[in-house]
Amino acid sequence: MLRTRLLWFSIGFTVSAAAVSHFVWKDLWVDRHALSADMKQKFDALETRVLNLESVPHQNSISDQAQG
């Protein structure tokens, strides 16, 4: 009788721990994916801004050369 209760307790505890660890793992995975996607989006926007700045001719250097 005691062994049966201990067995069922162990099985229940194991299943509960597995369910909790699954939900924690899933939550961590979603957070990691969201962070990765957010960083990729921000770096893509930054790269676009840098490319736009590099493609614009330098107005200050041109006007300085014309004055000098």
Side-chain angles (χ1 to χ4, degrees):
M1 179 88 176
L2 184 62
R3 289 182 190 173
T4 305
R5 286 184 183 177
L6 183 61
L7 175 69
W8 283 113
F9 174 78
S10 299
I11 290 172
F13 189 77
T14 303
V15 169
S16 298
V20 168
S21 64
H22 171 74
F23 287 123
V24 168
W25 179 259
K26 185 178 176 183
D27 187 49
L28 290 174
W29 183 261
V30 168
D31 285 345
R32 181 182 180 276
H33 180 69
L35 180 63
S36 175
D38 185 46
M39 291 302 292
K40 184 179 180 339
Q41 180 184 9
K42 287 183 180 181
F43 276 111
D44 287 345
L46 180 63
E47 183 179 3
T48 303
R49 290 173 62 189
V50 168
L51 289 174
N52 286 339
L53 287 174
E54 288 176 346
S55 67
V56 172
H58 298 288
Q59 298 296 331
N60 291 339
S61 63
I62 293 172
S63 63
D64 288 342
Q65 290 176 354
Q67 291 174 359

